[in-house]
Amino acid sequence: MDLDGIDAIGRTAFEVALLRAAEDRRPDRLFADPCARLFLDAAGITGEKPEFAAVMGPQVAVRTRFLDDALLSGEARQVVLVASGMDGRPWRLGWPGGTEVFEIDQAPVLRFKDAAAASLTARCVRRPVVADLRSDWAVALQEAGFRPERPTAWLTEGLLYALDEAAADGLLSTITGLSATGSTIAFDHVEASDALRTAIGPELLRLWRSGPTDPARWLTRHGWEPDVSDLADIAAKYGRRIHLAYDPAAGGTARAWLGRAVLLGQER
Ligand SMILES: C[S@@+](CC[C@H](N)C(=O)[O-])C[C@H]1O[C@@H](n2cnc3c(N)ncnc32)[C@H](O)[C@@H]1O
């Protein structure tokens, strides 16, 4: 299956899939993700980058489990995976009956994913939405059947660090404008620390931006009630070691977060 038309940022979805496939092989895995291997096989991708895996492998493992739990613990039956890449959740999570899962990403990414997953049966009503998050994606989402009056569970995973602060603000403004009271958002974020800069390599580094420098304040400013944790604390709960740079117990000063937030009442 060809990757034609998938740009550098789109290809980062396969870097994440490599890390999820590695987690899937562990006897003490935090989640099962057979889709990751399926997508990689369809793309003909095998190799892993050891330095990148050392920093981001534990982050991807811990974040995936945390965000799985966050998505399944909510009441919303309308879910939006913003920039879904090779996220296998439509197929691998046990969604409550009738859940609609919208997947927003670029056309070539979704075209590849739809073809690669053709033999699989989604465990939800899956609605791929081709859109560019830098333009008016709210229209495309609503044309695909999204209804703003229903509470929504949003996911922004592996995305905030590719945005600058203004773009992160724009994204959250749009999400907020589409969200009924009680909607939730779950996310991860990783500060562009020196340790990360060394490990991720020049190709990925070019795509890295600051994102929101204080995720809790960013959410509060937009009317959300945040519950944000350090990656190190969530990793400790799962008994998983993270890269030392992100582990305050080991003297690490780099910041990485996982969080959820609920939208407080707003006039529609
Ligand atoms: C690092 S991957 C993360 C994918 C997925 N959320 C996960 O954690 O597995 C980033 C994804 O964001 C998508 N993306 C980046 N910029 C985008 C844009 N402007 N519009 C739509 N999708 C975008 C890419 O195509 C890619 O699939």
Side-chain angles (χ1 to χ4, degrees):
M1 224 160 269
D2 79 71
L3 299 176
D4 280 359
I6 302 186
D7 63 8
I9 189 94
R11 285 174 192 242
T12 61
F14 295 96
E15 305 278 351
V16 182
L18 276 167
L19 300 177
R20 292 208 179 104
E23 179 69 15
D24 186 67
R25 290 193 298 271
R26 287 177 66 127
D28 63 343
R29 65 188 180 192
L30 295 177
F31 57 87
D33 186 358
C35 299
R37 187 74 265 153
L38 181 131
F39 293 137
L40 293 166
D41 287 347
I45 294 174
T46 47
E48 275 172 40
K49 297 177 187 155
E51 299 84 7
F52 181 69
V55 179
M56 292 305 287
Q59 192 267 356
V60 167
V62 170
R63 91 186 195 204
T64 302
R65 169 61 184 277
F66 174 88
L67 297 170
D68 282 359
D69 291 349
L71 286 168
L72 290 180
S73 69
E75 307 276 296
R77 297 290 174 265
Q78 178 166 261
V79 176
V80 183
L81 311 179
V82 183
S84 62
M86 295 302 123
D87 187 339
R89 289 188 177 91
W91 299 274
R92 67 179 186 79
L93 291 189
W95 298 101
T99 303
E100 281 182 280
V101 178
F102 295 83
E103 289 196 65
I104 304 176
D105 212 300
Q106 308 181 81
V109 172
L110 287 173
R111 203 167 36 240
F112 169 88
K113 192 176 191 180
D114 289 349
S119 63
L120 305 178
T121 304
R123 301 170 78 185
C124 58
V125 180
R126 176 176 176 256
R127 302 205 187 283
V129 182
V130 169
D132 186 332
L133 293 166
R134 291 163 300 192
S135 63
D136 191 5
W137 55 271
V139 173
L141 182 61
Q142 289 177 90
E143 282 175 0
F146 174 91
R147 286 185 280 147
E149 68 279 8
R150 297 176 72 196
T152 301
W154 299 89
L155 177 68
T156 62
E157 180 183 17
L159 176 65
L160 297 180
Y161 18 103
L163 308 177
D164 59 29
E165 281 208 75
D169 262 334
L171 179 79
L172 190 53
S173 292
T174 305
I175 288 176
T176 307
L178 288 168
S179 295
T181 298
S183 292
T184 59
I185 182 167
F187 69 94
D188 75 308
H189 189 35
V190 177
E191 189 183 70
S193 62
D194 287 343
L196 186 75
R197 284 180 199 287
T198 316
I200 64 176
E203 241 171 82
L204 281 177
L205 191 59
R206 265 196 297 280
L207 305 172
W208 218 273
R209 306 276 180 276
S210 58
T213 48
D214 179 340
R217 223 178 52 198
W218 173 67
L219 287 155
T220 307
R221 253 194 304 116
H222 287 266
W224 297 74
E225 187 173 76
D227 178 5
V228 180
S229 300
D230 273 16
L231 172 67
D233 294 335
I234 304 294
K237 257 195 227 164
Y238 297 149
R240 187 57 65 92
R241 301 196 76 142
I242 51 169
H243 191 276
L244 298 182
Y246 292 93
D247 186 355
T253 52
R255 303 294 307 274
W257 302 268
L258 290 169
R260 284 187 86 210
V262 181
L263 186 64
L264 303 173
Q266 64 166 359
E267 297 298 316
R268 295 201 64 83

